[in-house]
Amino acid sequence: MSNIFERSAGVAGMRDYLLGLQTRIMGALQAMEDEGEDGAKAVVDPWKKGEGELLQGEGITKIIEGGRIFERAGCGFSHVRGPRLPPSATQHRPELAGAPFEAMGVSLVFHPRNPYVPTVHMNVRMIAAGHHGTQPVCWFGGGMDLTPYYGFDEDAVHFHRICQQALAPFGGDKYPRFKQWCDDYFSLKHRSEQRGVGGVFFDDFSELGLAQSMAMTQAVGDAFLPAYLPIVEKRQGTPYGERERDFQLYRRGRYVEFNLVWDRGTHFGLQSGGRTESILLSMPPLASWAYRRAPEAGSPEAKLTEYFLVPRDWA
């Protein structure tokens, strides 16, 4: 650990937790891939920032590409240190502008092959920052959200209820707040369109105190597999054809737009001198764009934007 986390009592177990979370999640995906003969093996890529780079630290990238179920599924752990917080991290903490910082987290995006299986994103992280000679400030962020191409009410309900249950021990206000925060955040403002059916999202969070804020963040991480895997298992065998595949690639283009234009995590990583290959782990292997494409009225494709991409109380 570097000096900043060493000066922040009570955070020593977070790194071990995050490494264990990455191992559990990718182990579950690998087990699904291994159920068939054409399953792909995850690549494990440890990395370390070179001397002289602005950002220092290390991490582990684990990724499945060209799999039987997952066309691209990346899950990255990182633990980095920098001389000054980038602008994307000090919007709500101007007193920390220019302060040294340390951050660690696990972030994942899974792009399944079958268009009936939704894409999913999850992230849990902790940041500590403080000017020299001052007590560091620690805060947490994270959440998960579901992005279907062909929606099912029961999938959205299941995903949201698991999120709700994970947050319940930390106060009845947490799920409604973080659900609304997710709807507000994962919005393509330039298109006035939601990215998916949402989930939960929180950032700059420390209001429960260090121990409970950390416990809440870990509860969200622990909820990921029970929230997502049952949906994958239910939908992965659904037959599909060229029409569904074409629509999936078109909607993936929206995912790319959000991540590059609006996502604070992407901006934080690039602005702070992070590892580009890891930051762009969320990109799908294939995507497409079309000019003023409009789905046929009454079609499942039209229902996605008219019904599923409208914020609603799924839980």
PDB file of all heavy atoms in Angstrom, residues 269-291:
ATOM      1  N   GLY A 269      -9.983   7.684 -16.005  1.00  0.00           N
ATOM      2  CA  GLY A 269      -8.843   6.861 -16.378  1.00  0.00           C
ATOM      3  C   GLY A 269      -7.952   7.520 -17.408  1.00  0.00           C
ATOM      4  O   GLY A 269      -6.720   7.526 -17.275  1.00  0.00           O
ATOM      5  N   LEU A 270      -8.555   8.100 -18.436  1.00  0.00           N
ATOM      6  CA  LEU A 270      -7.773   8.720 -19.500  1.00  0.00           C
ATOM      7  C   LEU A 270      -7.110  10.014 -19.027  1.00  0.00           C
ATOM      8  O   LEU A 270      -5.958  10.295 -19.369  1.00  0.00           O
ATOM      9  CB  LEU A 270      -8.659   8.979 -20.717  1.00  0.00           C
ATOM     10  CG  LEU A 270      -9.228   7.720 -21.403  1.00  0.00           C
ATOM     11  CD1 LEU A 270     -10.181   8.105 -22.529  1.00  0.00           C
ATOM     12  CD2 LEU A 270      -8.118   6.819 -21.935  1.00  0.00           C
ATOM     13  N   GLN A 271      -7.822  10.799 -18.224  1.00  0.00           N
ATOM     14  CA  GLN A 271      -7.261  12.062 -17.746  1.00  0.00           C
ATOM     15  C   GLN A 271      -6.122  11.852 -16.759  1.00  0.00           C
ATOM     16  O   GLN A 271      -5.202  12.671 -16.672  1.00  0.00           O
ATOM     17  CB  GLN A 271      -8.360  12.898 -17.073  1.00  0.00           C
ATOM     18  CG  GLN A 271      -9.392  13.462 -18.025  1.00  0.00           C
ATOM     19  CD  GLN A 271     -10.555  14.118 -17.298  1.00  0.00           C
ATOM     20  OE1 GLN A 271     -10.595  14.168 -16.071  1.00  0.00           O
ATOM     21  NE2 GLN A 271     -11.518  14.614 -18.056  1.00  0.00           N
ATOM     22  N   SER A 272      -6.169  10.742 -16.015  1.00  0.00           N
ATOM     23  CA  SER A 272      -5.160  10.511 -14.981  1.00  0.00           C
ATOM     24  C   SER A 272      -3.953   9.740 -15.505  1.00  0.00           C
ATOM     25  O   SER A 272      -3.017   9.479 -14.754  1.00  0.00           O
ATOM     26  CB  SER A 272      -5.774   9.755 -13.797  1.00  0.00           C
ATOM     27  OG  SER A 272      -6.247   8.482 -14.206  1.00  0.00           O
ATOM     28  N   GLY A 273      -3.973   9.382 -16.788  1.00  0.00           N
ATOM     29  CA  GLY A 273      -2.848   8.638 -17.340  1.00  0.00           C
ATOM     30  C   GLY A 273      -2.937   7.154 -17.114  1.00  0.00           C
ATOM     31  O   GLY A 273      -1.919   6.463 -17.032  1.00  0.00           O
ATOM     32  N   GLY A 274      -4.155   6.638 -16.998  1.00  0.00           N
ATOM     33  CA  GLY A 274      -4.358   5.213 -16.771  1.00  0.00           C
ATOM     34  C   GLY A 274      -3.997   4.366 -17.976  1.00  0.00           C
ATOM     35  O   GLY A 274      -3.636   4.865 -19.045  1.00  0.00           O
ATOM     36  N   ARG A 275      -4.125   3.062 -17.797  1.00  0.00           N
ATOM     37  CA  ARG A 275      -3.778   2.096 -18.837  1.00  0.00           C
ATOM     38  C   ARG A 275      -4.923   2.017 -19.845  1.00  0.00           C
ATOM     39  O   ARG A 275      -6.005   1.501 -19.549  1.00  0.00           O
ATOM     40  CB  ARG A 275      -3.517   0.729 -18.199  1.00  0.00           C
ATOM     41  CG  ARG A 275      -3.031  -0.345 -19.167  1.00  0.00           C
ATOM     42  CD  ARG A 275      -2.673  -1.597 -18.380  1.00  0.00           C
ATOM     43  NE  ARG A 275      -2.110  -2.638 -19.223  1.00  0.00           N
ATOM     44  CZ  ARG A 275      -2.793  -3.712 -19.637  1.00  0.00           C
ATOM     45  NH1 ARG A 275      -4.064  -3.868 -19.289  1.00  0.00           N
ATOM     46  NH2 ARG A 275      -2.202  -4.627 -20.383  1.00  0.00           N
ATOM     47  N   THR A 276      -4.696   2.523 -21.039  1.00  0.00           N
ATOM     48  CA  THR A 276      -5.754   2.651 -22.040  1.00  0.00           C
ATOM     49  C   THR A 276      -6.414   1.317 -22.349  1.00  0.00           C
ATOM     50  O   THR A 276      -7.642   1.229 -22.477  1.00  0.00           O
ATOM     51  CB  THR A 276      -5.188   3.273 -23.327  1.00  0.00           C
ATOM     52  OG1 THR A 276      -4.612   4.542 -23.015  1.00  0.00           O
ATOM     53  CG2 THR A 276      -6.279   3.454 -24.365  1.00  0.00           C
ATOM     54  N   GLU A 277      -5.623   0.257 -22.479  1.00  0.00           N
ATOM     55  CA  GLU A 277      -6.170  -1.055 -22.824  1.00  0.00           C
ATOM     56  C   GLU A 277      -7.173  -1.527 -21.773  1.00  0.00           C
ATOM     57  O   GLU A 277      -8.187  -2.142 -22.096  1.00  0.00           O
ATOM     58  CB  GLU A 277      -5.038  -2.075 -22.961  1.00  0.00           C
ATOM     59  CG  GLU A 277      -5.396  -3.305 -23.762  1.00  0.00           C
ATOM     60  CD  GLU A 277      -5.540  -3.032 -25.249  1.00  0.00           C
ATOM     61  OE1 GLU A 277      -5.059  -1.980 -25.718  1.00  0.00           O
ATOM     62  OE2 GLU A 277      -6.134  -3.876 -25.945  1.00  0.00           O
ATOM     63  N   SER A 278      -6.893  -1.209 -20.514  1.00  0.00           N
ATOM     64  CA  SER A 278      -7.802  -1.604 -19.443  1.00  0.00           C
ATOM     65  C   SER A 278      -9.016  -0.683 -19.374  1.00  0.00           C
ATOM     66  O   SER A 278     -10.134  -1.129 -19.106  1.00  0.00           O
ATOM     67  CB  SER A 278      -7.063  -1.592 -18.099  1.00  0.00           C
ATOM     68  OG  SER A 278      -6.014  -2.531 -18.091  1.00  0.00           O
ATOM     69  N   ILE A 279      -8.810   0.601 -19.599  1.00  0.00           N
ATOM     70  CA  ILE A 279      -9.914   1.561 -19.543  1.00  0.00           C
ATOM     71  C   ILE A 279     -10.960   1.252 -20.608  1.00  0.00           C
ATOM     72  O   ILE A 279     -12.169   1.362 -20.374  1.00  0.00           O
ATOM     73  CB  ILE A 279      -9.377   2.998 -19.721  1.00  0.00           C
ATOM     74  CG1 ILE A 279      -8.451   3.354 -18.555  1.00  0.00           C
ATOM     75  CG2 ILE A 279     -10.515   4.006 -19.817  1.00  0.00           C
ATOM     76  CD1 ILE A 279      -7.588   4.565 -18.827  1.00  0.00           C
ATOM     77  N   LEU A 280     -10.511   0.846 -21.782  1.00  0.00           N
ATOM     78  CA  LEU A 280     -11.430   0.573 -22.890  1.00  0.00           C
ATOM     79  C   LEU A 280     -11.841  -0.897 -22.952  1.00  0.00           C
ATOM     80  O   LEU A 280     -12.321  -1.376 -23.973  1.00  0.00           O
ATOM     81  CB  LEU A 280     -10.796   1.009 -24.209  1.00  0.00           C
ATOM     82  CG  LEU A 280     -10.473   2.512 -24.287  1.00  0.00           C
ATOM     83  CD1 LEU A 280      -9.884   2.867 -25.642  1.00  0.00           C
ATOM     84  CD2 LEU A 280     -11.715   3.360 -24.013  1.00  0.00           C
ATOM     85  N   LEU A 281     -11.695  -1.597 -21.830  1.00  0.00           N
ATOM     86  CA  LEU A 281     -12.131  -2.980 -21.725  1.00  0.00           C
ATOM     87  C   LEU A 281     -13.627  -3.123 -21.978  1.00  0.00           C
ATOM     88  O   LEU A 281     -14.107  -4.187 -22.363  1.00  0.00           O
ATOM     89  CB  LEU A 281     -11.804  -3.477 -20.306  1.00  0.00           C
ATOM     90  CG  LEU A 281     -11.675  -4.959 -20.028  1.00  0.00           C
ATOM     91  CD1 LEU A 281     -10.456  -5.529 -20.756  1.00  0.00           C
ATOM     92  CD2 LEU A 281     -11.519  -5.193 -18.522  1.00  0.00           C
ATOM     93  N   SER A 282     -14.364  -2.047 -21.757  1.00  0.00           N
ATOM     94  CA  SER A 282     -15.825  -2.088 -21.866  1.00  0.00           C
ATOM     95  C   SER A 282     -16.331  -2.066 -23.301  1.00  0.00           C
ATOM     96  O   SER A 282     -17.513  -2.302 -23.538  1.00  0.00           O
ATOM     97  CB  SER A 282     -16.427  -0.888 -21.128  1.00  0.00           C
ATOM     98  OG  SER A 282     -15.966   0.333 -21.708  1.00  0.00           O
ATOM     99  N   MET A 283     -15.466  -1.792 -24.254  1.00  0.00           N
ATOM    100  CA  MET A 283     -15.910  -1.693 -25.627  1.00  0.00           C
ATOM    101  C   MET A 283     -16.333  -3.054 -26.187  1.00  0.00           C
ATOM    102  O   MET A 283     -15.659  -4.061 -25.957  1.00  0.00           O
ATOM    103  CB  MET A 283     -14.801  -1.126 -26.518  1.00  0.00           C
ATOM    104  CG  MET A 283     -14.404   0.310 -26.211  1.00  0.00           C
ATOM    105  SD  MET A 283     -15.732   1.501 -26.498  1.00  0.00           S
ATOM    106  CE  MET A 283     -16.163   1.890 -24.806  1.00  0.00           C
ATOM    107  N   PRO A 284     -17.422  -3.128 -26.935  1.00  0.00           N
ATOM    108  CA  PRO A 284     -17.818  -4.391 -27.553  1.00  0.00           C
ATOM    109  C   PRO A 284     -16.882  -4.734 -28.710  1.00  0.00           C
ATOM    110  O   PRO A 284     -16.268  -3.844 -29.301  1.00  0.00           O
ATOM    111  CB  PRO A 284     -19.228  -4.105 -28.064  1.00  0.00           C
ATOM    112  CG  PRO A 284     -19.241  -2.628 -28.309  1.00  0.00           C
ATOM    113  CD  PRO A 284     -18.359  -2.038 -27.240  1.00  0.00           C
ATOM    114  N   PRO A 285     -16.780  -6.026 -29.059  1.00  0.00           N
ATOM    115  CA  PRO A 285     -15.895  -6.408 -30.153  1.00  0.00           C
ATOM    116  C   PRO A 285     -16.403  -5.950 -31.506  1.00  0.00           C
ATOM    117  O   PRO A 285     -15.620  -5.698 -32.424  1.00  0.00           O
ATOM    118  CB  PRO A 285     -15.850  -7.934 -30.067  1.00  0.00           C
ATOM    119  CG  PRO A 285     -17.139  -8.302 -29.417  1.00  0.00           C
ATOM    120  CD  PRO A 285     -17.434  -7.189 -28.447  1.00  0.00           C
ATOM    121  N   LEU A 286     -17.718  -5.840 -31.636  1.00  0.00           N
ATOM    122  CA  LEU A 286     -18.343  -5.382 -32.875  1.00  0.00           C
ATOM    123  C   LEU A 286     -19.503  -4.466 -32.519  1.00  0.00           C
ATOM    124  O   LEU A 286     -20.210  -4.694 -31.536  1.00  0.00           O
ATOM    125  CB  LEU A 286     -18.871  -6.561 -33.704  1.00  0.00           C
ATOM    126  CG  LEU A 286     -17.839  -7.550 -34.259  1.00  0.00           C
ATOM    127  CD1 LEU A 286     -18.553  -8.771 -34.825  1.00  0.00           C
ATOM    128  CD2 LEU A 286     -16.973  -6.890 -35.313  1.00  0.00           C
ATOM    129  N   ALA A 287     -19.706  -3.436 -33.325  1.00  0.00           N
ATOM    130  CA  ALA A 287     -20.832  -2.517 -33.147  1.00  0.00           C
ATOM    131  C   ALA A 287     -21.111  -1.869 -34.503  1.00  0.00           C
ATOM    132  O   ALA A 287     -20.268  -1.912 -35.411  1.00  0.00           O
ATOM    133  CB  ALA A 287     -20.523  -1.455 -32.101  1.00  0.00           C
ATOM    134  N   SER A 288     -22.287  -1.272 -34.637  1.00  0.00           N
ATOM    135  CA  SER A 288     -22.607  -0.616 -35.910  1.00  0.00           C
ATOM    136  C   SER A 288     -23.452   0.624 -35.646  1.00  0.00           C
ATOM    137  O   SER A 288     -24.035   0.785 -34.571  1.00  0.00           O
ATOM    138  CB  SER A 288     -23.342  -1.580 -36.846  1.00  0.00           C
ATOM    139  OG  SER A 288     -24.632  -1.896 -36.335  1.00  0.00           O
ATOM    140  N   TRP A 289     -23.492   1.486 -36.628  1.00  0.00           N
ATOM    141  CA  TRP A 289     -24.303   2.696 -36.581  1.00  0.00           C
ATOM    142  C   TRP A 289     -25.115   2.796 -37.871  1.00  0.00           C
ATOM    143  O   TRP A 289     -24.689   2.282 -38.911  1.00  0.00           O
ATOM    144  CB  TRP A 289     -23.416   3.940 -36.436  1.00  0.00           C
ATOM    145  CG  TRP A 289     -22.886   4.160 -35.054  1.00  0.00           C
ATOM    146  CD1 TRP A 289     -23.394   4.996 -34.101  1.00  0.00           C
ATOM    147  CD2 TRP A 289     -21.760   3.510 -34.450  1.00  0.00           C
ATOM    148  NE1 TRP A 289     -22.642   4.913 -32.951  1.00  0.00           N
ATOM    149  CE2 TRP A 289     -21.638   4.005 -33.134  1.00  0.00           C
ATOM    150  CE3 TRP A 289     -20.837   2.559 -34.897  1.00  0.00           C
ATOM    151  CZ2 TRP A 289     -20.641   3.597 -32.260  1.00  0.00           C
ATOM    152  CZ3 TRP A 289     -19.845   2.141 -34.032  1.00  0.00           C
ATOM    153  CH2 TRP A 289     -19.747   2.655 -32.733  1.00  0.00           C
ATOM    154  N   ALA A 290     -26.268   3.445 -37.779  1.00  0.00           N
ATOM    155  CA  ALA A 290     -27.102   3.657 -38.962  1.00  0.00           C
ATOM    156  C   ALA A 290     -27.728   5.034 -38.858  1.00  0.00           C
ATOM    157  O   ALA A 290     -28.029   5.512 -37.759  1.00  0.00           O
ATOM    158  CB  ALA A 290     -28.181   2.586 -39.073  1.00  0.00           C
ATOM    159  N   TYR A 291     -27.936   5.659 -39.987  1.00  0.00           N
ATOM    160  CA  TYR A 291     -28.466   7.016 -40.013  1.00  0.00           C
ATOM    161  C   TYR A 291     -29.991   6.991 -39.894  1.00  0.00           C
ATOM    162  O   TYR A 291     -30.683   6.413 -40.728  1.00  0.00           O
ATOM    163  CB  TYR A 291     -28.053   7.709 -41.308  1.00  0.00           C
ATOM    164  CG  TYR A 291     -28.510   9.146 -41.406  1.00  0.00           C
ATOM    165  CD1 TYR A 291     -27.918  10.133 -40.618  1.00  0.00           C
ATOM    166  CD2 TYR A 291     -29.528   9.521 -42.283  1.00  0.00           C
ATOM    167  CE1 TYR A 291     -28.334  11.452 -40.700  1.00  0.00           C
ATOM    168  CE2 TYR A 291     -29.942  10.837 -42.378  1.00  0.00           C
ATOM    169  CZ  TYR A 291     -29.343  11.806 -41.581  1.00  0.00           C
ATOM    170  OH  TYR A 291     -29.751  13.118 -41.664  1.00  0.00           O
TER     171      TYR A 291
END
